[in-house]
């Protein structure tokens, strides 16, 4: 996967890449990241990339010409790549969006600054708009890093543990189960016995149940879209019988149908 990043501040992006999982993915040729300074496509002698908004008001707007020129140069002699604008107005990034974008061979990521980009960029150049949440940051550089890392983690071979991404929260639709490491007892707080039992089947079942309990408690909205398999139904019946957690109606109907 190739990432071409268009930014006015490449120096913000470089150090994080070098210290992150992306660096290893670059070395292992799983991804390639090229940073481009938009200023290199500004034509006037001051290399201007922004200007005041028509109609007045505060703030500056990124000019269309350097952005169009940069993208057109990057698209020369290649199949057209998605052009992703990082903006709080975009589709909110989640596991599904990252998975979809992880299937492309190459993408151009445009990092906005100031009040945003000239609307003609959004309308006539950009193919995808992505937000990392309902808050406004000073630029698209951090969001671009978030997007690239989320995608990189999903690419085969990028994580040391081949199942790492599959177990992550959201990957199976549920939040991840709780983790414990040594010491087995810390300040009188022990580790659940099952985790030290050596019984892998029982451990997996316990983890599945914990993932369900967590998701039901913290993110019941996620439960709405999950496909249940036989193990899910088994642990959900158990949770239902224990009576400590109220299951959503939709789930009750499914597990009752199985009874
Ligand atoms: N640029 C500024 N804020 C942003 C956000 N929340 N997501 C994506 N890009 C942004």
């Amino acid at each position: 996967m190739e990432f071409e990043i268009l930014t006015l501040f490449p120096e913000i992006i470089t150090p994080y890449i070098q210290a992150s999982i992306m660096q290893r993915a670059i070395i292992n040729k799983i991804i390639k990241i090229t940073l481009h300074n938009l200023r290199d496509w500004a034509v006037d002698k001051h290399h201007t990339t922004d200007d005041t908004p028509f109609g007045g008001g505060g703030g500056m707007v990124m000019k269309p010409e350097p952005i169009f020129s940069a993208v057109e140069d990057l698209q020369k002699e290649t199949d057209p790549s998605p052009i992703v604008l990082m903006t709080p107005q975009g589709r909110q990034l989640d596991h599904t969006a990252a998975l979809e974008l992880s299937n492309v061979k190459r993408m151009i990521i445009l990092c906005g600054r100031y009040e945003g980009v000239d609307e003609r960029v959004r309308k006539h150049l950009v193919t995808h708009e992505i937000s990392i949440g309902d808050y406004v940051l000073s630029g698209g550089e951090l969001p671009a890093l978030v997007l690239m890392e989320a995608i990189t983690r999903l690419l085969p071979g990028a994580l040391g543990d081949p199942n790492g991404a599959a177990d992550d929260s959201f990957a199976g639709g549920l939040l991840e189960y709780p983790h414990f490491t040594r010491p087995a007892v810390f300040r009188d707080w022990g580790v659940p016995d099952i985790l030290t039992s050596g019984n892998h089947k029982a451990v997996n079942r316990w983890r599945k149940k914990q993932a369900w309990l967590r998701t039901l408690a913290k993110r019941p909205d996620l439960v709405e879209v999950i496909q249940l398999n036989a193990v899910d139904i088994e642990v959900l019946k158990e949770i239902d019988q224990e009576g400590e957690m109220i299951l959503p109606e939709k789930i009750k109907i499914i597990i009752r149908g199985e009874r």
Side-chain angles (χ1 to χ4, degrees), residues 209-226:
K209 186 172 172 188
Q210 295 301 315
W212 268 106
L213 287 169
R214 288 207 149 181
T215 311
L216 288 163
K218 296 188 190 190
R219 291 292 306 275
D221 58 302
L222 293 177
V223 167
E224 292 299 313
V225 290
I226 294 174

Side-chain angles (χ1 to χ4, degrees), residues 13-48:
I13 299 179
T14 308
Y16 184 80
I17 292 174
Q18 286 172 348
S20 76
I21 185 189
M22 288 182 271
Q23 183 66 16
R24 205 176 52 194
I26 292 168
I27 292 166
N28 292 334
K29 300 204 161 33
I30 294 165
I31 60 166
K32 181 173 173 207
I33 301 177
T34 314
L35 299 173
H36 305 276
N37 194 329
L38 267 172
R39 222 169 276 287
D40 296 342
W41 280 275
V43 285
D44 65 315
K45 74 170 191 257
H46 299 295
H47 296 284
T48 313

Side-chain angles (χ1 to χ4, degrees), residues 6 8 62 85-87 110-114 116-117 138-141:
L6 287 170
L8 290 170
M62 286 173 73
L85 173 66
M86 304 312 301
T87 162
L110 177 56
C111 305
R113 276 269 148 184
Y114 318 116
V117 298
S138 304
E141 286 74 14

Side-chain angles (χ1 to χ4, degrees), residues 86-88 130-133 135-140 143:
M86 304 312 301
T87 162
I130 298 284
S131 161
I132 62 161
Y135 42 83
V136 177
L137 300 169
S138 304

Side-chain angles (χ1 to χ4, degrees), residues 94-256:
D94 60 10
H95 179 73
T96 308
L99 206 55
E100 276 172 35
L101 288 169
S102 74
N103 288 319
V104 308
K105 264 180 36 205
R106 176 177 182 261
M107 73 174 72
I108 297 172
I109 302 180
L110 177 56
C111 305
R113 276 269 148 184
Y114 318 116
E115 290 306 300
V117 298
D118 185 285
E119 187 60 21
R120 289 160 290 189
V121 171
R122 190 193 296 276
K123 199 154 173 220
H124 303 294
L125 193 64
V126 163
T127 60
H128 296 64
E129 297 180 37
I130 298 284
S131 161
I132 62 161
D134 286 344
Y135 42 83
V136 177
L137 300 169
S138 304
E141 286 74 14
L142 279 174
L145 282 167
V146 169
L147 175 66
M148 285 194 290
E149 182 161 313
I151 291 175
T152 301
R153 293 176 56 83
L154 299 173
L155 299 176
L159 295 179
D161 172 1
N163 292 321
D167 272 353
D168 275 352
S169 286
F170 309 112
L174 295 173
L175 299 181
E176 211 181 345
Y177 51 78
H179 298 279
F180 294 90
T181 186
R182 273 172 281 277
V185 179
F186 170 69
R187 298 192 177 172
D188 277 352
W189 299 307
V191 167
D193 288 338
I194 202 148
L195 295 181
T196 52
S197 69
N199 181 342
H200 293 299
K201 198 164 169 231
V203 168
N204 285 339
R205 198 174 177 288
W206 178 87
R207 287 180 167 165
K208 179 64 116 177
K209 186 172 172 188
Q210 295 301 315
W212 268 106
L213 287 169
R214 288 207 149 181
T215 311
L216 288 163
K218 296 188 190 190
R219 291 292 306 275
D221 58 302
L222 293 177
V223 167
E224 292 299 313
V225 290
I226 294 174
Q227 298 284 325
L228 306 183
N229 64 26
V231 184
D232 291 314
I233 290 171
E234 204 181 295
V235 300
L236 283 165
K237 279 183 184 170
E238 204 172 288
I239 292 170
D240 194 28
Q241 274 152 23
E242 285 161 2
E244 274 163 45
M245 181 73 72
I246 296 166
L247 296 177
E249 271 320 299
K250 199 176 137 192
I251 295 227
K252 275 194 202 157
I253 292 165
I254 296 171
I255 63 173
R256 246 178 244 146

